[in-house]
Amino acid sequence: MSPARIRPSLPGLAGAEPGSAQALIPDQPTLPGLQAAAARCQACDLYKTGTQTVFGDGTPHAKVMFVGEQPGDREDIEGKPFVGPAGRLLDDGLRAAGIDRNQVYITNAVKHFKWKPQGKRRLHQKPNAAEITACRPWLDAEIALVKPHIVVCLGATAAQALLGRDFRVTLQRGQFIERPGLPLMMATVHPSSILRAPDDESRELEMQAFVADLKRLAKRIEG
Ligand code: URA
Ligand code: SF4
């Protein structure tokens, strides 16, 4: 028997196009249904190294959806997005801008943690274009179900996935962008980039700029 035939059959994976999660999207998706389907996704190799699929989390019909890059070490263990150090920084930013984390929906462009060993630590690795493309149907389905008024891309990976390879966060951060087929879009830096600032002073400045972007967002949601 060929190896393919002795592999246990995974419901929903039959006929799946290699390199895309599209065939796994349920016909009549709900958020819990999507999450359950994503839990068994093998559309790219990251399922092999990630502990679990880290699906989006938050208010089902949130006005604002935040999209990060991919789960980190902590998220991979806990199974929820932005619960590690970057998540704490996001929480600080939201609080400073007067946005309630319980009122938003938070997800990632890629739903498994990509890492390589470095000593005893697991070192974050950027997802590549094929992995981002493979995972995209989950994000599109989340956007279609949550129907946020505004989607905020946190960092270049999310921004380039949703706004195109030419998008530059450094030049266009904080702007509201209209694109056909998408909710109103905005991009800002990834909270991890603030954590990586070389010294306290630049970290403080970067945090202020992040909070300024989030305040523009808060104003837009209210208005
Ligand atoms: N960084 C991300 O992009 N997403 C997370 O969920 C955590 C860290
Ligand atoms: Fe599927 Fe995305 Fe995980 Fe790849 S990263 S296996 S596409 S859920």
Side-chain angles (χ1 to χ4, degrees):
M1 202 186 267
S2 74
R5 298 191 57 195
I6 41 181
R7 222 196 274 153
S9 77
L10 287 159
L13 273 180
E17 237 179 84
S20 171
Q22 189 58 48
L24 299 179
I25 306 293
D27 285 340
Q28 307 223 297
T30 58
L31 284 174
L34 273 185
Q35 181 161 12
R40 53 169 200 263
C41 183
Q42 302 184 348
C44 78
D45 280 345
L46 297 185
Y47 79 91
K48 294 178 185 168
T49 45
T51 306
Q52 57 187 316
T53 306
V54 179
F55 203 69
D57 185 46
T59 300
H61 291 297
K63 283 189 189 169
V64 184
M65 179 184 289
F66 288 92
V67 183
E69 181 187 75
Q70 60 168 341
D73 181 81
R74 217 40 248 166
E75 290 78 14
D76 174 73
I77 294 163
E78 292 190 29
K80 285 196 186 291
F82 284 100
V83 291
R88 277 195 293 282
L89 208 133
L90 176 61
D91 289 346
D92 291 346
L94 290 175
R95 206 173 305 112
I99 299 169
D100 183 353
R101 177 163 174 162
N102 296 317
Q103 300 283 314
V104 306
Y105 185 91
I106 303 182
T107 191
N108 283 300
V110 168
K111 282 151 172 81
H112 272 100
F113 179 34
K114 182 176 183 178
W115 58 279
K116 67 171 185 200
Q118 192 186 57
K120 286 186 187 153
R121 295 185 51 227
R122 302 192 296 172
L123 194 68
H124 161 273
Q125 296 231 276
K126 252 191 186 314
N128 63 35
E131 290 152 354
I132 295 166
T133 301
C135 213
R136 178 64 184 265
W138 299 121
L139 177 59
D140 286 341
E142 286 175 293
I143 294 174
L145 280 173
V146 176
K147 298 187 183 71
H149 298 183
I150 306 184
V151 172
V152 181
C153 300
L154 297 170
T157 298
Q160 290 179 353
L162 286 166
L163 294 165
R165 303 289 303 163
D166 296 335
F167 188 88
R168 290 290 168 268
V169 173
T170 41
L171 298 177
Q172 289 169 279
R173 66 180 296 174
Q175 296 175 13
F176 293 101
I177 297 157
E178 289 181 32
R179 285 287 169 86
L182 285 173
L184 191 62
M185 304 292 299
M186 181 205 215
T188 183
V189 294
H190 194 287
S192 298
S193 72
I194 303 172
L195 290 173
R196 286 194 304 267
D199 52 63
D200 287 352
E201 194 188 341
S202 52
R203 191 171 312 109
E204 183 57 35
L205 287 171
E206 286 186 31
M207 188 65 190
Q208 281 172 18
F210 183 55
V211 170
D213 289 344
L214 295 177
K215 282 186 172 165
R216 281 172 59 78
L217 170 69
K219 214 166 162 189
R220 188 80 181 221
I221 315 167
E222 286 157 16

